[in-house]
Each structure stands twice: as structure tokens, then as C-alpha cells.
Amino acid sequence: MTLPSTLLENAVDQLATLPGIGRRTATRLALDLLRREPEAVRRFAMAIHELREKVRYCDECCTISDSPICGICSAPMRDRSLICVVEDIRDVVAFENTRQYNGLYHVLGGVISPMDGIGPEDLNMAKLLERAGNGEVKEVILALSATLEGDTTCFYLNKRLKERGAIVSVIARGISVGGELEHVDELTLGRSIMDRKPYGAGSSGT
Amino acid sequence: MTLPSTLLENAVDQLATLPGIGRRTATRLALDLLRREPEAVRRFAMAIHELREKVRYCDECCTISDSPICGICSAPMRDRSLICVVEDIRDVVAFENTRQYNGLYHVLGGVISPMDGIGPEDLNMAKLLERAGNGEVKEVILALSATLEGDTTCFYLNKRLKERGAIVSVIARGISVGGELEHVDELTLGRSIMDRKPYGAGSSGT
């Protein structure tokens, strides 16, 4: 598809670099932007420009934040003896939306993936190990993706965190709440029967 | 979903204004942009900013163009007696990709849609009527969407163009090339049998 203007071509090329957006969708997005008021497009471009330019991360948990210490790390009611380790900011938002967790977080910024050239030193691990050894933290909860890379990262973190005397746990894996058994994949179903709990114990049996 | 930073919130809000992009996808796009080099994001924002700021339209056919007269209108080999009327720039690109058409175009910028408050005066119609009456144009081909609004626009344009002595035609509607009959909707199938052609006549029978 050749476009009749290099300006449009340029904008489409850039929009098509976004994940899940092909050139056809990118063209549609660019033409939509073209139909807007110049002021609206200026605000759009500025919001993206400023996002990358002015972004700050929490000095403690490495989540995105407007202040040096994020709202979660500075909240007085939070349980500072618990750290939940997640891959990225979206996971923090997801856990916060459950309203079930009152501890702190630590954003790794990814998982160990030798195929993509991502090793432990590319992630926010040094800070996590430092926090785990500060005497205040009792338990570190690993909440990473249930993929090969996620499991590798859990394995590595468990070893390093145990050295610092922290209790390490992982989030429960099993069938989804409201999920019908016939739609659950074999691995998950197998895992769910291996990891069974006494009926009525804890939150899942009530 | 509450995000931990107003910068991120702002970028997500803006990305979510794009057609077909919800807040969840917008968050994914914003986090992807965050992971890039500042220079890459600057180029991204700049391409979108410049698109709207510096955009020009062809003085003749109203398509997007880098020069006052677009590449198609200024091409010496083009048949200047034919004008194909389309809704937007994407349609020009789509027809150009077929390599079947050698005339000129006219981009309306939409179709008449009273529900959305779009009347003839909101579209690039005055210029089309002026072109149709310039003595050079013999036929105007209406290539608008086969919707109620598209049909209304065709009806209106046909009346106004006929007054100027132009021959008005519409693109053929029927079953898609390669389409199986059982998957064709009833309206299209009905139309295709009403508009049947002698076998071997023109391009479709060969």
C-alpha cells in the first residue's frame, strides 16, 4: 500500500510500530487523527511525548509514579512486611483492583528470557534483594506469568531471596473462579488436583 | 482501572480516543511506548504532530498530498475525462492498488448523513461540481459505500452532476470475485441476479 503523502506515510509507519497494530489499522488511526482539530492532535502528541520524557519510577518498588516514592509505598496503612513481585505496572493495577492485597509491590520490568537476551541484570532485581534483606520484609510473593520464562525467573528469585532469609511464596494456580471444568486446559486441571486443599480451609472453600 | 501516574493516565486517555482502542489496549500501548528509547518516542509523537500540523490537500481532488496538486492529478498519462468520487483517502489507495483505473479521483471527505449532522456543504462537493463542469470531464463514477448514507449521497450527486451535463455511473455491485454463493447475503445475491450481464461481455465474463 503506497500512500500519497510522506507525512501520512510517516505517521502510519510510526503507528504501525505499536503492538497489535498493522499498517491497515494504522492508516485508519492516522486518518482519524487527521479529521480532528489541530489542538486535539497537539494534545495527543504531547501526552505521548511527555509520558516518555517526564516519566518517573518509585525509588522503592520501581512502579511508575509522579513522586519519588509512589502512593502505595508511602501509604501508612500498608503491610510493609509483604512484597508482591510482578512483571509490570499493569499487574500492580490488576492486583489493586482486586482489593484483596494490602502489602507492597515490586515491579521487575520483565522476566528472565535468554531467547530475548534478558538476564537478571536487566531487571529491577538488585533493588528487590536489597528490600528483602532490610529486616522489615517477612514474605515475598512471586506473582509472575505461568510461562517457561516466568517459572525460570521464580526459580532464580527463590534461590536469591532464600539466601536473604525471606519466606518466598507463589500465587495459587488452579481453575478460574466461575470456570467450567470442561473448558480448563489439561495442565491447569492436573495442577489443580495436585494442589488440592482441605474443603473449607482458607478463602477458596468458603 | 486507576493508574498510579497522571502522566500515564493522560497518555492512556489520549490513546483510548483512537477508534477501536479501549482503555485496556491503550494501557498496553502506553506501556510499550514507555519501554522504548526517548528518541524513538519523540519521533513517534513528532510524526503525529506534524501529520496534522503540516498536512496539505490537493487543490484539485482534495486527497492528501505533499504538493498543491497531488501526484495523480499532475500525472500526464492519466485520463482527465474520468473522475472517480470516493469517501476518503483510503479508497483512493485501494483503487490505485487494483491498477485497473487510470482516471482522476475526487475525495468527498465523507457521505451525507443527517443523523451525524453532515450535509452536502460539509463535504468537498462544490469543487467536484466545478470540476464536472469544466468541459474536460466526461464521466463521473460514484464509488461510495453501499449504505443508506452512501446511496443518499449518490442520489444527491447524480442530480447535481446531471445538471452539469456529466455522465454519472456507479461501480458494480454483486458477488465478490472468489466468493462462494452460499456465503453471500440475500440483498447482494438478489442484486447480482437483477444486474446480470451477457456472458462474455466486458471484463467480468472473461
Side-chain angles (χ1 to χ4, degrees), chain B residues 21-36:
Chain B
I21 308 249
R23 275 187 68 83
R24 192 181 275 260
T25 310
T27 309
R28 198 159 50 88
L29 300 184
L31 292 178
D32 183 85
L33 286 166
L34 259 184
R35 271 195 287 268
R36 302 185 190 181

Side-chain angles (χ1 to χ4, degrees), chain A residues 140-155:
Chain A
V140 177
I141 305 164
L142 303 178
L144 304 177
S145 301
T147 58
L148 186 61
E149 290 81 11
D151 288 345
T152 308
T153 313
C154 283
F155 183 80

Side-chain angles (χ1 to χ4, degrees), chain A residues 13-149:
Chain A
D13 283 348
Q14 289 291 340
L15 286 165
T17 62
L18 293 172
I21 307 251
R23 275 186 68 83
R24 192 182 274 262
T25 308
T27 311
R28 198 158 52 85
L29 299 185
L31 292 178
D32 183 84
L33 286 166
L34 259 183
R35 271 195 288 268
R36 300 186 190 181
E37 294 297 319
E39 186 46 45
V41 178
R42 216 171 291 141
R43 271 202 308 277
F44 183 97
M46 189 49 89
I48 287 168
H49 179 77
E50 288 198 334
L51 172 68
R52 187 66 188 84
E53 214 69 10
K54 299 193 182 169
V55 70
R56 298 185 65 160
Y57 295 93
C58 173
D59 290 342
E60 281 293 309
C61 71
C62 309
T63 195
I64 193 173
S65 164
D66 292 332
S67 47
I69 303 291
C70 76
I72 294 171
C73 287
S74 59
M77 301 297 288
R78 288 270 175 169
D79 182 351
R80 308 190 69 81
S81 69
L82 273 176
I83 291 182
C84 175
V85 180
V86 294
E87 269 178 67
D88 68 26
I89 301 149
R90 269 180 301 170
D91 303 326
V92 174
V93 175
F95 274 114
E96 283 299 286
N97 284 341
T98 67
R99 299 170 191 274
Q100 296 288 316
Y101 178 69
N102 194 37
L104 306 181
Y105 293 94
H106 193 86
V107 177
L108 279 187
V111 283
I112 297 172
S113 175
M115 293 287 280
D116 303 314
I118 301 172
E121 65 287 348
D122 299 312
L123 306 170
N124 304 323
M125 281 195 185
K127 182 72 200 167
L128 172 63
L129 297 173
E130 185 194 318
R131 291 177 78 194
N134 69 359
E136 206 176 17
V137 174
K138 296 202 184 90
E139 184 179 348
V140 177
I141 305 164
L142 303 178
L144 304 177
S145 301
T147 58
L148 186 61
E149 290 81 11

Side-chain angles (χ1 to χ4, degrees), chain B:
Chain B
M1 188 161 66
T2 50
L3 296 167
S5 148
T6 48
L7 278 175
L8 182 61
E9 189 86 46
N10 214 345
V12 168
D13 282 347
Q14 289 292 338
L15 286 165
T17 61
L18 292 172
I21 308 249
R23 275 187 68 83
R24 192 181 275 260
T25 310
T27 309
R28 198 159 50 88
L29 300 184
L31 292 178
D32 183 85
L33 286 166
L34 259 184
R35 271 195 287 268
R36 302 185 190 181
E37 293 297 317
E39 188 45 46
V41 178
R42 217 171 290 142
R43 272 202 307 277
F44 184 96
M46 190 49 89
I48 287 169
H49 179 77
E50 288 197 335
L51 172 68
R52 187 64 187 84
E53 216 68 12
K54 298 194 183 168
V55 70
R56 298 186 64 159
Y57 296 93
C58 173
D59 291 342
E60 280 294 310
C61 71
C62 309
T63 195
I64 195 172
S65 164
D66 291 332
S67 47
I69 302 291
C70 76
I72 294 171
C73 286
S74 59
M77 300 298 287
R78 289 273 175 167
D79 182 351
R80 307 190 67 82
S81 69
L82 272 177
I83 291 183
C84 175
V85 180
V86 294
E87 268 178 66
D88 68 26
I89 300 148
R90 269 180 299 170
D91 303 326
V92 173
V93 175
F95 274 113
E96 283 301 285
N97 284 341
T98 67
R99 298 172 193 273
Q100 297 287 316
Y101 178 68
N102 195 36
L104 306 180
Y105 293 94
H106 193 86
V107 177
L108 279 188
V111 283
I112 298 173
S113 174
M115 294 287 281
D116 302 314
I118 302 172
E121 65 287 350
D122 299 312
L123 306 170
N124 304 322
M125 282 195 183
K127 182 73 200 167
L128 172 63
L129 297 173
E130 183 194 318
R131 292 177 77 193
N134 69 0
E136 206 177 17
V137 174
K138 293 202 185 89
E139 184 179 346
V140 177
I141 305 164
L142 303 178
L144 304 178
S145 300
T147 58
L148 186 62
E149 289 81 12
D151 288 345
T152 307
T153 313
C154 284
F155 183 80
Y156 178 88
L157 278 176
N158 179 45
K159 217 176 89 185
R160 301 295 302 274
L161 288 164
K162 282 258 168 75
E163 291 167 7
R164 275 156 185 78
I167 296 170
V168 182
S169 58
V170 291
I171 53 169
R173 283 165 192 179
I175 61 166
S176 307
V177 177
E180 290 181 49
L181 280 201
E182 56 178 331
H183 300 130
V184 179
D185 66 284
E186 286 173 18
L187 272 174
T188 305
L189 201 58
R191 183 99 176 222
S192 77
I193 203 159
M194 295 298 290
D195 291 351
R196 65 194 179 276
K197 300 178 57 170
Y199 186 77
S203 58
S204 65
T206 52

